[in-house]
Amino acid sequence: MAALPPSLPPMDSSDAFNPDFSPDLPAGTHANGQSGQPPPDAPTPAPLDAVAPANATLPLDERAQVHDVLHSDIGVVTLLSRLKASVASARDFAGFLKRRGATEEEHANSLKKLSRLTLENMRKTEARHESYQLQFEQVMHANERIADNGTQFGLALHAMHENLLQLATKMDASRKTWKQAGLAAETKVQEAEKLAEKAKAKYDQLAEDLDRVKTGDTGAGRKFGLKGPKSAAQHEEDLHRKVQAADQDYASKVQTAQSFRKELVATSRPQAVAAMVDLIREIDAALTMEMQKYASFNEKLVVNNGQVVSPHALQGGGTAQAPPSLNSLIYQINNEHDFDEYVLKQASRVPSVRSDLQYTKHPTLAQTQPQPASASWQPSGAASSARQVQANQPPAHSLAQSDAVNAHAHSQQQSQPSSLPEPVQLPSYQSYATGGHPPPQQQQAPPQQYHSQAQSQLPQFSGAPVYSPLAQNPYSQSPDYPRGPAGQATAQQSSGVTYNANPAPPVKPIFGVSLDDLFRRDGSPVPLVVYQCIQAVDLYGLEVEGIYRIPGTSSHIQAMKALFDSDASQVDFRNPEAFQQDVNSVAGLLKQFFRELPDPLLTKDFYSKFIEAARIDDDTMRRDSMHALINALPDPNYATLRAILLHLYRVQQASEVNRMSTANLGICWAPSIMGPHKGNVMADAGLQARVIITILDNVLQIFDED
């Protein structure tokens, strides 16, 4: 029976890894609660000792043949090659353990960082709280425990790598020692045997010459000495003397070679063979043990991660309840209760109850107001005028604005006599808002009646925004224009909308205001002007050649800017008439908004970091560096950047039509998004464009497309 391979002593550095991941359990207790015993229904694993070594299963004759080969002249060389292969295998597996451990640690660190970042975002005031926050925090803590398991697993693999690498280095040094000693003994014997063979060849040659001289063979010839030719007797005597000397030399060299070989076979070779066999078995046993530990650590890592995801009750653990699984944590989120609780928290902010507003005519106007001939009679056009006013109301108007418009229509019905034409229609409001002049129908009315109408109309709109057809619902009044350039071509060339040449001071300015201030004031992380312009270009500009490269009309851009600074909620760019079918001006307006930001979209603080990231040559490292910087941006900047970059991604998808590739968009948008250059103008311009191009190329990896 062959001896079992030698086992290595336990390695202390690997004991730092706790495969059970259960620090609260007593020693020797598995995660299932049993002390060193598998669960009853678990399959019984085969013991390691049940698998016999490969050489123990060989027949006796083959085992004897293995012994003969090892103790032959090629035994030392064979063992040296086998030991070299074992050392190389140990180094390869140690390198695998190092890379696998580094991967696990990197994954665990990334998971921890993501969990911490998610917890910080969840605890912000603008995030959802209540049961969602409570359960989601537990889910994130479970992810942190999984990350801890991965960290411990990576550290254990690193310790195994160090031990295995140290053992391989030791074995390599021992191999060199025995290679020198074993091969030196083998070489000594081989050289002695070669000298003996040479002495034998010389002895044989001289013996043959002596035999020919004795038999009178003339082929041997006469030998010449210093005093002339030798006689046959002298020649025979000389050869006889040489044969005796060669015989003695041959015998001594054979005796020396035999003694060297006897020493080699009896002492040197068995020592070298036994030592190298022990080295091979030791490193093979160590490699197998490390592989078994690796397999065991993998199994227990998966099992303990499974215990985190879906814990099971501990057997023999008393009445202790198993912690909830991730699935049960998610199911404990009560959306209805969270909604009701959130609304109830706002109860203290409800304004005091106000009495219903009622229309009361001023006494001075009531005295001069003409009365109709019959109280029950109503012009046929009055009802239609009121209905038209209600139908043309913009969806963004409040209830107070709606009441004001109805009251205005009612005052017109009461003030106009039956002899006048139908009441003034909706375009009169447009005339007041854009030009300040009454419509032709009102100009035909008598001065006294016109003055009465003006006095009854103006106070009703003093507290409401000026109505503009730019805020009309395009799906109720405007024709349904097709998207793209065809929508601009089929739309009327003159929309009837005129911009005020002398706009009033901004009421709620948008341009030149920081994203943080807009977010605090309006409550929207993406400014309304950005949303409207993106919507217009998506609908009508994706197939326009040179979009964002060809400038728009300056007067149109300034007029639309004034509208947004006045009241952005009244602007609706779904109707191409709202921007005079000039989508290039909408594109220019969007770029101008970003250029006028006090702090650029990517912020001055992050400018140098983005430039340094753009200098990275490796595409993956450059993308990951920029992804990390984007995640660190303030919330309004992140949301706005996501909206504009996903929009530009849709623009470049139609590059075959609009001729705006990723490179063209990067060149056009880099100054607007990143701000002015800080270093060398030409160098910074290329790096700025590279920042935008990199984000556009990886926009779906950096942002989601929802």
Side-chain angles (χ1 to χ4, degrees):
M1 191 70 174
L4 292 176
S7 59
L8 292 178
M11 292 176 286
D12 296 335
S13 57
S14 296
D15 295 337
F17 174 58
N18 179 17
D20 291 333
F21 302 114
S22 303
D24 297 333
L25 297 179
T29 303
H30 296 292
N32 59 4
Q34 296 179 347
S35 300
Q37 298 294 333
D41 56 347
T44 303
L48 295 178
D49 296 336
V51 182
N55 58 356
T57 60
L58 293 176
L60 293 178
D61 55 345
E62 292 185 3
R63 290 172 55 192
Q65 187 177 1
V66 169
H67 180 272
D68 294 341
V69 171
L70 292 180
H71 290 80
S72 66
D73 292 344
I74 65 171
V76 174
V77 177
T78 302
L79 290 174
L80 287 173
S81 300
R82 179 63 173 79
L83 181 57
K84 183 178 180 180
S86 297
V87 172
S89 300
R91 292 185 187 276
D92 290 341
F93 187 66
F96 165 76
L97 292 176
K98 179 180 179 181
R99 291 189 293 270
R100 175 66 191 278
T103 302
E104 289 292 336
E105 290 181 5
E106 181 181 359
H107 172 70
N109 292 333
S110 300
L111 186 57
K112 282 186 178 179
K113 182 178 179 181
L114 176 62
S115 299
R116 288 195 298 266
L117 181 62
T118 305
L119 287 173
E120 292 175 0
N121 294 334
M122 193 189 312
R123 290 163 182 166
K124 293 182 179 179
T125 56
E126 61 269 16
R128 179 180 170 185
H129 296 164
E130 298 85 29
S131 66
Y132 166 81
Q133 179 184 9
L134 179 62
Q135 303 304 323
F136 199 20
E137 281 183 353
Q138 297 186 37
V139 172
M140 290 299 102
H141 291 321
N143 283 340
E144 290 179 347
R145 292 197 298 275
I146 293 176
D148 291 336
N149 294 346
T151 300
Q152 295 180 9
F153 179 69
L155 293 176
L157 295 187
H158 182 71
M160 292 167 59
H161 154 261
E162 293 291 339
N163 291 330
L164 200 56
L165 193 62
Q166 183 179 2
L167 179 62
T169 303
K170 176 183 175 182
M171 292 297 167
D172 199 14
S174 300
R175 177 183 176 275
K176 291 180 180 179
T177 301
W178 283 109
K179 177 181 179 181
Q180 183 178 3
L183 292 182
E186 297 283 346
T187 304
K188 182 179 178 180
V189 172
Q190 292 174 2
E191 290 178 352
E193 290 178 347
K194 287 181 181 179
L195 291 176
E197 291 176 357
K198 289 182 179 180
K200 181 179 181 301
K202 182 178 180 181
Y203 169 73
D204 291 342
Q205 181 65 36
L206 291 173
E208 291 177 1
D209 291 343
L210 179 60
D211 183 65
R212 284 197 299 268
V213 170
K214 287 181 178 182
T215 57
D217 187 2
T218 58
R222 290 183 178 272
K223 300 296 180 181
F224 292 89
L226 296 176
K227 297 181 179 181
K230 295 180 180 181
S231 62
Q234 289 176 343
H235 185 48
E236 181 179 354
E237 183 181 359
D238 187 27
L239 287 177
H240 184 70
R241 210 170 35 248
K242 289 182 179 179
V243 168
Q244 288 180 350
D247 181 58
Q248 292 178 1
D249 181 62
Y250 172 50
S252 65
K253 288 185 177 179
V254 168
Q255 185 178 3
T256 301
Q258 289 177 349
S259 64
F260 285 171
R261 176 163 289 278
K262 183 178 180 180
E263 180 183 1
L264 174 67
V265 173
T267 306
S268 301
R269 181 180 289 172
Q271 288 179 355
V273 169
M276 284 189 287
V277 168
D278 289 342
L279 292 176
I280 292 172
R281 289 177 174 174
E282 182 179 0
I283 192 170
D284 288 348
L287 179 59
T288 303
M289 184 180 69
E290 295 296 334
M291 295 180 70
Q292 291 172 354
K293 290 170 62 177
Y294 172 74
S296 177
F297 288 172
N298 271 282
E299 293 175 359
K300 293 178 180 179
L301 173 66
V302 174
V303 168
N304 286 278
N305 284 343
Q307 282 293 104
V308 175
V309 175
S310 181
H312 295 281
L314 301 178
Q315 299 181 5
T319 59
Q321 292 286 339
S325 64
L326 293 185
N327 195 17
S328 61
L329 289 175
I330 301 301
Y331 273 102
Q332 290 177 16
I333 298 177
N334 191 333
N335 292 328
E336 294 295 333
H337 181 269
D338 289 356
F339 175 77
D340 295 339
E341 186 176 350
Y342 177 81
V343 174
L344 290 176
K345 289 180 180 178
Q346 311 301 321
S348 60
R349 303 174 59 183
V350 176
S352 59
V353 180
R354 300 178 181 177
S355 59
D356 295 338
L357 295 178
Q358 296 182 357
Y359 173 74
T360 304
K361 189 178 295 294
H362 195 271
T364 58
L365 296 178
Q367 296 176 359
T368 59
Q369 185 70 28
Q371 299 294 332
S374 175
S376 62
W377 180 86
Q378 185 179 22
S380 60
S384 62
S385 174
R387 289 192 300 270
Q388 185 172 354
V389 169
Q390 294 177 0
N392 288 336
Q393 280 185 335
H397 273 193
S398 63
L399 180 60
Q401 293 173 325
S402 177
D403 293 340
V405 173
N406 292 333
H408 179 67
H410 179 71
S411 65
Q412 285 185 335
Q413 297 172 13
Q414 297 297 328
S415 61
Q416 286 184 336
S418 59
S419 60
L420 292 178
E422 291 187 356
V424 179
Q425 301 296 327
L426 185 62
S428 62
Y429 303 124
Q430 174 185 345
S431 302
Y432 278 105
T434 57
H437 301 288
Q441 291 87 341
Q442 287 186 337
Q443 291 178 358
Q444 296 174 4
Q448 181 179 358
Q449 296 176 357
Y450 174 77
H451 177 73
S452 174
Q453 294 176 10
Q455 293 294 329
S456 62
Q457 294 171 2
L458 291 178
Q460 301 173 31
F461 286 88
S462 60
V466 178
Y467 178 74
S468 170
L470 295 179
Q472 293 181 7
N473 188 345
Y475 302 106
S476 61
Q477 294 296 323
S478 301
D480 191 7
Y481 295 101
R483 298 186 179 186
Q488 300 187 56
T490 56
Q492 297 179 0
Q493 297 300 319
S494 177
S495 63
V497 179
T498 58
Y499 296 109
N500 193 352
N502 298 314
V507 178
K508 293 176 64 177
I510 290 182
F511 286 78
V513 181
S514 67
L515 294 177
D516 287 335
D517 293 340
L518 290 175
F519 181 40
R520 284 192 294 268
R521 187 189 71 188
D522 300 336
S524 174
V526 180
L528 189 57
V529 62
V530 176
Y531 171 77
Q532 289 286 355
C533 292
I534 288 177
Q535 183 177 233
V537 176
D538 281 344
L539 290 175
Y540 306 107
L542 293 182
E543 298 179 359
V544 175
E545 183 174 351
I547 188 67
Y548 291 118
R549 178 172 54 83
I550 299 176
T553 305
S554 177
S555 60
H556 291 179
I557 295 175
Q558 295 303 319
M560 289 186 289
K561 175 183 176 183
L563 286 177
F564 277 103
D565 280 339
S566 176
D567 190 356
S569 63
Q570 298 299 312
V571 183
D572 188 354
F573 276 176
R574 290 175 297 178
N575 182 358
E577 295 182 4
F579 49 86
Q580 293 195 355
Q581 300 85 35
D582 186 2
V583 73
N584 285 323
S585 294
V586 176
L589 179 69
L590 182 58
K591 293 172 65 177
Q592 181 172 344
F593 169 77
F594 287 106
R595 285 196 303 270
E596 293 186 6
L597 285 175
D599 191 17
L601 183 58
L602 295 186
T603 73
K604 299 175 182 177
D605 296 336
F606 283 86
Y607 180 88
S608 58
K609 297 180 182 179
F610 277 104
I611 293 297
E612 289 301 322
R615 299 182 192 274
I616 300 176
D617 294 330
D618 184 74
D619 295 339
T620 303
M621 293 181 62
R622 185 170 65 254
R623 178 200 66 189
D624 294 342
S625 299
M626 293 188 184
H627 192 178
L629 292 174
I630 290 172
N631 286 339
L633 289 173
D635 291 346
N637 297 64
Y638 179 89
T640 306
L641 179 67
R642 174 184 177 277
I644 190 64
L645 264 299
L646 288 174
H647 165 65
L648 295 181
Y649 176 75
R650 295 190 292 270
V651 172
Q652 66 90 18
Q653 283 185 315
S655 58
E656 294 184 359
V657 180
N658 58 37
R659 307 297 181 185
M660 292 303 293
S661 62
T662 303
N664 292 338
L665 290 172
I667 295 173
C668 292
W669 271 94
S672 301
I673 292 179
M674 297 197 65
H677 310 296
K678 291 188 177 181
N680 182 276
V681 175
M682 295 302 297
D684 266 18
L687 293 174
Q688 280 188 349
R690 195 177 191 186
V691 171
I692 306 304
I693 292 172
T694 301
I695 301 175
L696 273 178
D697 287 339
N698 303 277
V699 66
L700 298 184
Q701 287 79 25
I702 297 176
F703 306 105
D704 57 339
E705 201 178 3
D706 294 338

